[in-house]
Amino acid sequence: MRAKFVPGGKLSVLLEAVASDRTVYGPTRVDGGARLSKIPPGAAEVAGCRTAEPVKTLFFRARQDVGGYFGASSGEIPAGQAVLMARACDVAAIGLVDRIFTEGDLPDPFYRGARNNTLLVSMDCTSPADNCFCTFVGGAPFARGGYDLNLSCADGGYVVTAGSDAGTALLEKHGGGLREASPEDLGR
């Protein structure tokens, strides 16, 4: 898997480019904590920990028409969305929810549509919060898969790694001015 180095000052430009045609959600600071909110693409909070709301809530509408009668149309699949700075614990949870709602005899078409239309940009954790527990349940402070793009802190910037075909395509399309991550960048 190829990785690119993004200088700190260019991260917002990259995020704006990859999420330009989507509704964007990311962490924002509220009352000393982080909340998952609708944001402009370049406004995601990089530092911090996971949000109070799990990312998986974006795949379930509070109210969803699932069928119609007498020619009425059924529910619609949400348009494209992007989740920025998702933490490894959220990415792992989404993987579990994916198995429940996309596999088996009766997959949920609305959940699958929302997932397929979502760009997931994860961010490695650099320090645990008081309420973090990922290592106690076999997780890690970095995503092991399930993301489209992942960001890892490095001196002077970030290492961006593609974790899906969609992530690879986005990195190839918008990462032209970025250099390949060096072994020194990857070792930190």
Side-chain angles (χ1 to χ4, degrees):
M1 193 176 314
R2 290 182 23 194
K4 298 273 191 173
F5 178 81
V6 181
K10 300 226 183 224
L11 180 61
S12 63
V13 175
L14 176 67
L15 294 177
E16 285 177 24
V18 301
S20 63
D21 59 343
R22 301 171 182 270
T23 302
V24 179
Y25 297 89
T28 56
R29 295 262 175 219
V30 178
D31 298 327
R35 301 296 305 238
L36 185 61
S37 305
K38 190 173 176 181
I39 59 170
E45 295 272 346
V46 175
C49 56
R50 64 186 173 89
T51 58
E53 303 82 10
V55 171
K56 65 185 177 183
T57 60
L58 295 175
F59 307 123
F60 299 100
R61 290 185 173 177
R63 182 176 174 162
Q64 174 80 50
D65 290 333
V66 295
Y69 56 93
F70 302 115
S73 65
S74 61
E76 295 180 15
I77 302 298
Q81 59 187 5
V83 179
L84 305 182
M85 309 310 166
R87 301 304 174 175
C89 51
D90 272 324
V91 175
I94 291 168
L96 294 173
V97 175
D98 282 352
R99 286 196 340 224
I100 295 166
F101 288 99
T102 64
E103 297 175 8
D105 293 336
L106 297 170
D108 183 328
F110 303 104
Y111 177 84
R112 185 184 337 207
R115 276 293 283 128
N116 290 342
N117 291 336
T118 299
L119 171 70
L120 189 58
V121 179
S122 58
M123 173 87 185
D124 293 350
C125 294
T126 55
S127 61
D130 293 339
N131 61 349
C132 289
F133 57 88
C134 65
T135 58
F136 294 115
V137 293
F142 52 88
R144 293 182 173 137
Y147 56 85
D148 294 301
L149 295 173
N150 184 68
L151 301 169
S152 303
C153 291
D155 282 344
Y158 304 89
V159 173
V160 181
T161 309
S164 69
D165 291 341
T168 299
L170 287 167
L171 205 50
E172 287 175 1
K173 181 178 179 181
H174 300 291
L178 304 176
R179 69 171 170 80
E180 295 292 322
S182 69
E184 294 78 27
D185 295 329
L186 296 172
R188 296 185 183 150

